[in-house]
Coordinates of all heavy atoms in Angstrom, one line a residue:
M1 N 0.9 10.9 7.5 CA 1.4 12.0 8.2 C 0.5 13.2 8.1 O 0.7 14.2 8.9 CB 2.8 12.4 7.8 CG 3.9 11.4 8.1 SD 4.7 12.0 9.6 CE 6.1 11.0 9.5
D2 N -0.4 13.2 7.2 CA -1.2 14.4 7.0 C -2.1 14.7 8.2 O -2.6 15.8 8.4 CB -2.1 14.2 5.8 CG -1.3 14.2 4.5 OD1 -0.2 14.8 4.5 OD2 -1.8 13.7 3.5
D3 N -2.3 13.7 9.1 CA -3.1 13.9 10.3 C -2.4 14.5 11.5 O -2.9 14.7 12.6 CB -3.8 12.6 10.7 CG -4.8 12.1 9.7 OD1 -5.3 13.0 8.9 OD2 -5.1 10.9 9.6
Y4 N -1.1 14.7 11.4 CA -0.2 15.1 12.5 C 0.0 16.6 12.4 O 0.1 17.2 11.3 CB 1.1 14.4 12.5 CG 1.0 12.9 12.8 CD1 1.2 12.0 11.7 CD2 0.7 12.5 14.0 CE1 1.1 10.7 12.0 CE2 0.6 11.1 14.3 CZ 0.8 10.2 13.3 OH 0.7 8.9 13.5
L5 N 0.1 17.2 13.6 CA 0.3 18.6 13.7 C 1.7 18.8 14.5 O 1.9 18.1 15.4 CB -0.7 19.4 14.5 CG -2.1 19.5 13.9 CD1 -3.1 20.1 14.9 CD2 -2.1 20.3 12.6
P6 N 2.4 19.8 14.1 CA 3.6 20.2 14.9 C 3.1 20.6 16.3 O 2.1 21.2 16.5 CB 4.2 21.3 14.2 CG 3.8 21.2 12.8 CD 2.4 20.6 12.9
L7 N 3.9 20.2 17.3 CA 3.5 20.6 18.7 C 3.4 22.1 18.9 O 2.5 22.5 19.7 CB 4.6 20.0 19.6 CG 4.2 19.9 21.1 CD1 3.0 19.1 21.3 CD2 5.4 19.2 21.8
A8 N 4.1 22.9 18.1 CA 4.0 24.3 18.2 C 2.6 24.8 17.9 O 2.1 25.8 18.3 CB 5.0 25.0 17.3
F9 N 1.9 24.0 17.0 CA 0.5 24.4 16.6 C -0.4 24.4 17.8 O -1.2 25.2 18.0 CB 0.0 23.5 15.5 CG 0.5 23.8 14.1 CD1 1.6 24.5 13.9 CD2 -0.3 23.4 13.1 CE1 2.1 24.7 12.6 CE2 0.1 23.7 11.8 CZ 1.3 24.4 11.5
L10 N -0.2 23.3 18.7 CA -1.0 23.2 19.9 C -0.8 24.4 20.8 O -1.7 24.9 21.4 CB -0.8 21.9 20.6 CG -1.1 20.7 19.8 CD1 -0.7 19.4 20.6 CD2 -2.6 20.6 19.4
N11 N 0.5 24.8 21.0 CA 0.9 25.9 21.8 C 0.2 27.2 21.2 O -0.3 28.0 22.0 CB 2.4 26.0 21.9 CG 2.8 27.2 22.8 OD1 2.4 27.2 23.9 ND2 3.6 28.1 22.2
A12 N 0.3 27.4 19.9 CA -0.3 28.6 19.3 C -1.8 28.6 19.5 O -2.3 29.7 19.8 CB 0.1 28.6 17.8
W13 N -2.4 27.5 19.4 CA -3.9 27.4 19.5 C -4.3 27.7 21.0 O -5.2 28.5 21.2 CB -4.4 26.0 19.2 CG -5.8 25.8 19.5 CD1 -6.4 25.2 20.7 CD2 -7.0 26.2 18.8 NE1 -7.7 25.3 20.6 CE2 -8.1 25.8 19.5 CE3 -7.1 26.8 17.5 CZ2 -9.4 26.1 19.0 CZ3 -8.4 27.1 17.0 CH2 -9.5 26.7 17.8
E14 N -3.5 27.2 21.9 CA -3.8 27.5 23.3 C -3.6 29.0 23.7 O -4.4 29.5 24.4 CB -2.9 26.6 24.2 CG -3.2 26.7 25.7 CD -4.6 26.3 26.1 OE1 -5.2 25.4 25.4 OE2 -5.1 26.8 27.2
Y15 N -2.6 29.5 23.1 CA -2.3 31.0 23.3 C -3.4 31.9 22.8 O -3.9 32.7 23.5 CB -0.9 31.3 22.7 CG -0.6 32.8 22.8 CD1 -0.2 33.3 24.0 CD2 -0.7 33.6 21.7 CE1 0.2 34.6 24.2 CE2 -0.3 35.0 21.8 CZ 0.1 35.5 23.1 OH 0.4 36.8 23.2
C16 N -3.8 31.6 21.5 CA -4.9 32.5 20.9 C -5.4 31.8 19.7 O -4.8 31.8 18.7 CB -4.3 33.8 20.6 SG -5.6 34.9 19.8
P17 N -6.6 31.1 19.8 CA -7.2 30.4 18.7 C -7.4 31.3 17.5 O -7.2 30.9 16.3 CB -8.6 30.0 19.2 CG -8.4 29.8 20.7 CD -7.4 31.0 21.0
R18 N -7.8 32.6 17.7 CA -8.0 33.5 16.5 C -6.6 33.7 15.8 O -6.5 33.6 14.6 CB -8.5 34.8 17.0 CG -8.8 35.8 15.8 CD -9.4 37.1 16.3 NE -9.6 38.0 15.2 CZ -8.6 38.8 14.7 NH1 -7.4 38.8 15.2 NH2 -8.9 39.6 13.7
R19 N -5.6 34.0 16.5 CA -4.3 34.2 15.9 C -3.8 32.9 15.2 O -3.2 33.0 14.2 CB -3.3 34.6 17.0 CG -1.9 34.9 16.5 CD -1.0 35.4 17.6 NE 0.4 35.4 17.2 CZ 1.3 35.8 18.0 NH1 1.1 36.2 19.2 NH2 2.6 35.8 17.5
F20 N -4.0 31.7 15.9 CA -3.7 30.5 15.2 C -4.4 30.4 13.9 O -3.7 30.0 12.9 CB -4.1 29.3 16.1 CG -4.0 28.0 15.4 CD1 -2.8 27.3 15.4 CD2 -5.0 27.4 14.8 CE1 -2.6 26.1 14.8 CE2 -4.9 26.2 14.2 CZ -3.7 25.5 14.2
Y21 N -5.7 30.7 13.8 CA -6.4 30.6 12.6 C -5.8 31.5 11.5 O -5.6 31.1 10.4 CB -7.9 30.9 12.8 CG -8.7 30.8 11.6 CD1 -9.1 29.6 11.1 CD2 -9.0 31.9 10.8 CE1 -9.9 29.5 9.9 CE2 -9.8 31.8 9.7 CZ -10.2 30.6 9.2 OH -10.9 30.5 8.1
L22 N -5.6 32.7 11.9 CA -5.0 33.7 10.9 C -3.6 33.3 10.4 O -3.4 33.3 9.2 CB -4.9 35.1 11.6 CG -6.2 35.8 11.9 CD1 -5.9 37.0 12.7 CD2 -7.0 36.1 10.6
E23 N -2.8 32.8 11.3 CA -1.4 32.5 10.9 C -1.3 31.1 10.2 O -0.6 31.0 9.2 CB -0.5 32.5 12.1 CG -0.3 33.9 12.7 CD 0.6 34.0 13.9 OE1 0.9 33.0 14.5 OE2 0.9 35.1 14.3
Y24 N -1.9 30.1 10.8 CA -1.6 28.7 10.3 C -2.7 28.2 9.3 O -2.3 27.5 8.4 CB -1.5 27.8 11.5 CG -0.3 28.1 12.3 CD1 -0.4 28.8 13.5 CD2 1.0 27.7 11.9 CE1 0.7 29.0 14.3 CE2 2.1 28.0 12.7 CZ 2.0 28.6 13.9 OH 3.1 28.9 14.6
V25 N -3.9 28.7 9.5 CA -4.9 28.3 8.5 C -4.9 29.2 7.3 O -4.9 28.7 6.1 CB -6.3 28.2 9.2 CG1 -7.4 27.8 8.2 CG2 -6.3 27.2 10.3
L26 N -4.9 30.5 7.5 CA -5.0 31.4 6.4 C -3.6 31.8 5.9 O -3.5 32.4 4.8 CB -5.7 32.7 6.8 CG -7.2 32.5 7.2 CD1 -7.8 33.9 7.5 CD2 -8.0 31.8 6.1
G27 N -2.5 31.4 6.6 CA -1.2 31.7 6.2 C -0.8 33.2 6.3 O 0.1 33.6 5.5
E28 N -1.4 33.9 7.2 CA -1.0 35.3 7.3 C 0.0 35.6 8.4 O 0.0 36.6 9.1 CB -2.3 36.1 7.7 CG -3.3 36.1 6.6 CD -4.6 36.8 6.9 OE1 -4.6 37.6 7.9 OE2 -5.6 36.8 6.1
L29 N 1.0 34.7 8.4 CA 2.2 34.9 9.3 C 3.2 35.8 8.7 O 3.7 35.6 7.6 CB 2.8 33.5 9.6 CG 4.0 33.5 10.5 CD1 3.6 34.0 11.9 CD2 4.6 32.1 10.6
R30 N 3.4 36.9 9.4 CA 4.3 37.9 8.9 C 5.7 37.7 9.5 O 5.8 37.5 10.7 CB 3.8 39.3 9.2 CG 2.5 39.6 8.5 CD 2.2 41.1 8.5 NE 1.0 41.4 7.7 CZ 0.0 42.2 8.1 NH1 0.2 42.9 9.2 NH2 -1.0 42.3 7.3
D31 N 6.7 37.8 8.6 CA 8.1 37.7 9.1 C 8.5 38.9 9.8 O 8.1 40.1 9.4 CB 9.0 37.5 7.9 CG 9.0 36.1 7.4 OD1 8.4 35.2 8.0 OD2 9.6 35.8 6.3
N32 N 9.2 38.8 10.9 CA 9.8 39.9 11.6 C 11.2 39.3 12.1 O 11.5 38.2 11.8 CB 8.9 40.4 12.8 CG 8.7 39.3 13.9 OD1 9.5 38.5 14.2 ND2 7.5 39.3 14.4
E33 N 11.9 40.1 12.8 CA 13.3 39.7 13.2 C 13.2 38.5 14.1 O 14.1 37.6 14.0 CB 14.0 40.8 13.9 CG 13.4 41.3 15.2 CD 14.1 42.4 15.9 OE1 15.2 42.2 16.5 OE2 13.5 43.6 15.7
H34 N 12.2 38.3 14.9 CA 12.2 37.2 15.8 C 11.8 35.9 15.0 O 12.4 34.8 15.3 CB 11.1 37.4 16.9 CG 11.4 38.7 17.7 ND1 12.4 38.8 18.6 CD2 10.7 39.9 17.7 CE1 12.4 40.0 19.1 NE2 11.4 40.7 18.6
I35 N 10.9 36.0 14.1 CA 10.6 34.9 13.2 C 11.8 34.4 12.4 O 12.1 33.2 12.3 CB 9.4 35.2 12.3 CG1 8.1 35.5 13.1 CG2 9.1 34.1 11.3 CD1 7.5 34.4 13.9
I36 N 12.4 35.3 11.8 CA 13.6 35.0 11.0 C 14.7 34.4 11.8 O 15.3 33.4 11.4 CB 14.1 36.3 10.2 CG1 13.0 36.7 9.2 CG2 15.4 36.0 9.5 CD1 13.3 38.1 8.6
L37 N 15.0 34.9 13.0 CA 16.0 34.4 13.9 C 15.6 33.0 14.3 O 16.4 32.0 14.3 CB 16.3 35.3 15.1 CG 17.3 34.7 16.1 CD1 18.6 34.5 15.5 CD2 17.3 35.7 17.3
G38 N 14.4 32.8 14.7 CA 13.9 31.5 15.2 C 14.0 30.4 14.0 O 14.4 29.3 14.3
R39 N 13.6 30.8 12.8 CA 13.7 29.9 11.7 C 15.2 29.5 11.5 O 15.4 28.3 11.2 CB 13.2 30.7 10.4 CG 12.7 29.7 9.3 CD 12.1 30.5 8.2 NE 10.8 31.0 8.5 CZ 10.3 32.2 8.2 NH1 11.0 33.1 7.6 NH2 9.1 32.5 8.6
H40 N 16.1 30.4 11.6 CA 17.5 30.1 11.5 C 18.0 29.2 12.6 O 18.7 28.2 12.3 CB 18.4 31.4 11.5 CG 19.8 31.1 11.4 ND1 20.5 30.7 10.3 CD2 20.8 31.2 12.4 CE1 21.8 30.5 10.6 NE2 22.0 30.8 11.9
L41 N 17.6 29.5 13.8 CA 18.1 28.7 14.9 C 17.5 27.2 14.9 O 18.1 26.3 15.4 CB 17.7 29.3 16.3 CG 18.4 30.6 16.6 CD1 17.8 31.3 17.8 CD2 19.9 30.4 16.8
H42 N 16.3 27.1 14.3 CA 15.7 25.8 14.3 C 15.7 25.1 12.9 O 14.9 24.2 12.7 CB 14.2 26.0 14.8 CG 14.1 26.3 16.2 ND1 13.9 27.7 16.6 CD2 14.2 25.6 17.3 CE1 13.9 27.7 17.9 NE2 14.0 26.5 18.4
R43 N 16.6 25.5 12.1 CA 16.6 25.0 10.7 C 16.9 23.5 10.6 O 16.5 22.9 9.7 CB 17.6 25.8 9.9 CG 19.1 25.6 10.3 CD 20.0 26.6 9.6 NE 21.4 26.5 10.0 CZ 21.9 27.0 11.2 NH1 21.1 27.8 11.9 NH2 23.1 26.9 11.5
H44 N 17.5 22.9 11.7 CA 17.8 21.5 11.6 C 16.9 20.7 12.6 O 17.1 19.5 12.9 CB 19.2 21.2 12.0 CG 20.2 21.9 11.0 ND1 20.3 21.5 9.7 CD2 21.1 22.9 11.2 CE1 21.2 22.3 9.1 NE2 21.7 23.1 10.0
I45 N 15.8 21.3 13.1 CA 15.0 20.7 14.1 C 14.3 19.4 13.7 O 14.0 18.6 14.5 CB 14.0 21.7 14.7 CG1 13.5 21.3 16.1 CG2 12.8 21.9 13.7 CD1 14.5 21.4 17.1
D46 N 14.1 19.3 12.4 CA 13.3 18.1 11.9 C 14.2 16.9 11.7 O 13.8 15.8 11.3 CB 12.6 18.4 10.6 CG 11.4 19.3 10.9 OD1 10.8 19.2 12.0 OD2 11.0 20.1 10.0
E47 N 15.5 17.0 12.0 CA 16.5 15.9 11.8 C 16.4 15.0 13.1 O 16.7 15.5 14.2 CB 17.9 16.4 11.6 CG 18.1 17.2 10.4 CD 19.5 17.8 10.3 OE1 20.3 17.6 11.2 OE2 19.7 18.6 9.4
A48 N 16.0 13.8 12.9 CA 15.9 12.8 14.1 C 17.3 12.5 14.6 O 18.1 12.0 13.8 CB 15.1 11.6 13.7
K49 N 17.6 12.7 15.8 CA 18.9 12.3 16.4 C 18.8 12.3 17.9 O 17.9 12.9 18.5 CB 20.0 13.2 15.9 CG 19.9 14.7 16.3 CD 21.1 15.5 15.7 CE 20.9 17.0 16.0 NZ 21.9 17.8 15.4
T50 N 19.8 11.7 18.5 CA 19.9 11.7 20.0 C 21.3 12.1 20.3 O 22.2 11.7 19.7 CB 19.6 10.2 20.5 OG1 18.3 9.8 20.1 CG2 19.7 10.2 22.0
R51 N 21.4 12.9 21.4 CA 22.7 13.4 21.8 C 22.7 13.5 23.3 O 21.7 13.5 24.0 CB 23.1 14.7 21.2 CG 22.3 15.9 21.6 CD 22.8 17.2 20.9 NE 22.2 18.3 21.4 CZ 21.0 18.8 21.1 NH1 20.2 18.2 20.2 NH2 20.5 19.9 21.7
Q52 N 23.9 13.5 23.9 CA 24.1 13.5 25.3 C 24.7 14.8 25.7 O 25.7 15.3 25.1 CB 25.1 12.3 25.7 CG 25.1 12.0 27.2 CD 23.8 11.3 27.6 OE1 23.2 10.6 26.9 NE2 23.4 11.5 28.9
E53 N 24.2 15.5 26.7 CA 24.7 16.7 27.3 C 24.9 16.5 28.8 O 23.9 16.6 29.5 CB 23.9 17.9 27.0 CG 23.9 18.3 25.5 CD 23.2 19.6 25.2 OE1 22.7 20.3 26.2 OE2 23.0 20.0 24.0
G54 N 26.1 16.1 29.2 CA 26.3 15.7 30.6 C 25.5 14.5 30.9 O 25.6 13.5 30.3
N55 N 24.7 14.6 31.9 CA 23.8 13.4 32.3 C 22.5 13.4 31.6 O 21.6 12.6 32.0 CB 23.6 13.5 33.9 CG 24.9 13.2 34.6 OD1 25.8 12.6 34.1 ND2 25.0 13.8 35.8
I56 N 22.2 14.4 30.7 CA 20.9 14.5 30.1 C 21.0 13.9 28.7 O 21.9 14.3 27.9 CB 20.5 16.0 30.0 CG1 20.4 16.5 31.5 CG2 19.2 16.1 29.3 CD1 20.1 18.0 31.5
T57 N 20.1 13.1 28.3 CA 19.9 12.6 27.0 C 18.8 13.4 26.3 O 17.7 13.5 26.8 CB 19.5 11.1 26.9 OG1 20.5 10.3 27.6 CG2 19.4 10.6 25.5
I58 N 19.2 13.9 25.1 CA 18.2 14.8 24.4 C 17.8 14.0 23.1 O 18.7 13.6 22.3 CB 18.9 16.1 24.0 CG1 19.2 16.9 25.3 CG2 17.9 16.9 23.1 CD1 20.1 18.1 25.1
H59 N 16.5 13.8 23.0 CA 16.0 13.1 21.8 C 15.3 14.2 20.9 O 14.4 14.8 21.4 CB 14.9 12.1 22.2 CG 15.4 11.0 23.1 ND1 16.2 9.9 22.6 CD2 15.4 10.8 24.4 CE1 16.5 9.2 23.6 NE2 16.0 9.7 24.7
Q60 N 15.8 14.3 19.8 CA 15.2 15.4 18.9 C 14.3 14.7 17.9 O 14.5 13.6 17.4 CB 16.4 16.0 18.1 CG 16.0 17.2 17.3 CD 17.2 17.9 16.8 OE1 18.0 18.4 17.5 NE2 17.3 18.1 15.5
Q61 N 13.2 15.3 17.6 CA 12.1 14.9 16.8 C 11.3 13.7 17.4 O 11.3 12.6 17.0 CB 12.5 14.5 15.4 CG 11.4 14.4 14.4 CD 11.7 13.8 13.1 OE1 12.5 12.9 13.0 NE2 11.2 14.4 12.0
Q62 N 10.6 14.0 18.5 CA 9.8 13.1 19.2 C 8.3 13.3 18.7 O 7.9 14.4 18.6 CB 9.8 13.3 20.7 CG 11.1 13.0 21.4 CD 11.4 11.5 21.3 OE1 12.4 11.1 20.7 NE2 10.6 10.7 21.9
W63 N 7.7 12.2 18.5 CA 6.2 12.2 18.1 C 5.4 12.2 19.4 O 5.6 11.4 20.3 CB 5.9 11.0 17.2 CG 6.6 11.1 15.9 CD1 7.7 10.5 15.5 CD2 6.2 12.0 14.8 NE1 8.0 10.9 14.2 CE2 7.1 11.8 13.7 CE3 5.1 12.8 14.6 CZ2 7.0 12.4 12.5 CZ3 5.0 13.5 13.3 CH2 6.0 13.3 12.3
V64 N 4.4 13.0 19.4 CA 3.4 13.1 20.5 C 2.0 12.9 19.9 O 1.7 13.5 18.8 CB 3.5 14.4 21.2 CG1 2.5 14.5 22.3 CG2 4.9 14.6 21.7
W65 N 1.2 12.1 20.4 CA -0.2 11.9 19.9 C -1.2 11.5 21.0 O -0.8 11.2 22.1 CB -0.2 10.8 18.8 CG 0.1 9.4 19.3 CD1 -0.9 8.5 19.7 CD2 1.3 8.8 19.4 NE1 -0.3 7.4 20.1 CE2 1.1 7.5 20.0 CE3 2.6 9.2 19.2 CZ2 2.1 6.6 20.2 CZ3 3.6 8.3 19.4 CH2 3.4 7.0 19.9
S66 N -2.4 11.6 20.6 CA -3.5 11.2 21.5 C -4.5 10.4 20.7 O -4.8 10.7 19.5 CB -4.2 12.4 22.1 OG -5.4 12.0 22.8
D67 N -5.0 9.3 21.3 CA -6.0 8.5 20.6 C -7.4 8.9 20.9 O -8.4 8.3 20.5 CB -5.8 7.0 21.0 CG -4.5 6.4 20.5 OD1 -4.1 6.8 19.4 OD2 -3.9 5.6 21.2
R68 N -7.5 10.0 21.7 CA -8.8 10.5 22.1 C -9.5 11.1 20.9 O -9.0 11.7 20.0 CB -8.6 11.7 23.1 CG -9.9 12.0 23.9 CD -9.6 12.8 25.0 NE -9.5 14.2 24.6 CZ -9.2 15.2 25.3 NH1 -8.9 15.0 26.5 NH2 -9.1 16.4 24.8
Q69 N -10.8 10.8 20.8 CA -11.6 11.2 19.6 C -12.7 12.2 19.9 O -13.8 12.1 19.5 CB -12.3 9.9 19.0 CG -11.4 8.9 18.6 CD -10.6 9.2 17.3 OE1 -11.2 9.8 16.4 NE2 -9.4 8.9 17.2
D70 N -12.4 13.3 20.7 CA -13.4 14.3 21.0 C -13.9 15.0 19.8 O -13.2 15.6 19.0 CB -12.8 15.3 22.1 CG -12.6 14.6 23.4 OD1 -13.1 13.4 23.6 OD2 -12.0 15.2 24.3

């Protein structure tokens, strides 16, 4: 599992590579009200489960990968 990255890391890298480096590589992520609220709202996000909401099936904790070796 050490070779896997959370999908949010890819989003952060695409948004701003410098900010990604500062926050995720150097660990300079500063807590603010939005970070704290998001952490609370997503506290169970790593629990694998499937649920139904109307006609929509929601799969939580999906793995995404690429075999590309660029």
Side-chain angles (χ1 to χ4, degrees):
M1 290 263 197
D2 292 339
D3 293 338
Y4 294 107
L5 292 174
L7 199 53
F9 280 26
L10 298 178
N11 182 56
W13 172 264
E14 184 65 26
Y15 177 73
C16 180
R18 180 179 181 275
R19 182 174 170 182
F20 172 84
Y21 181 80
L22 292 171
E23 292 179 350
Y24 294 100
V25 176
L26 298 182
E28 295 182 8
L29 180 63
R30 294 196 175 138
D31 283 350
N32 61 38
E33 64 184 281
H34 305 289
I35 297 292
I36 294 168
L37 177 60
R39 201 176 287 139
H40 174 73
L41 293 173
H42 294 98
R43 65 191 177 278
H44 300 293
I45 200 70
D46 291 329
E47 297 172 5
K49 62 182 174 182
T50 301
R51 69 181 188 276
Q52 196 74 29
E53 289 187 7
N55 294 332
I56 299 172
T57 301
I58 299 171
H59 302 280
Q60 191 169 299
Q61 194 187 43
Q62 290 293 116
W63 292 99
V64 179
W65 69 89
S66 171
D67 294 327
R68 199 168 81 184
Q69 299 289 320
D70 290 352

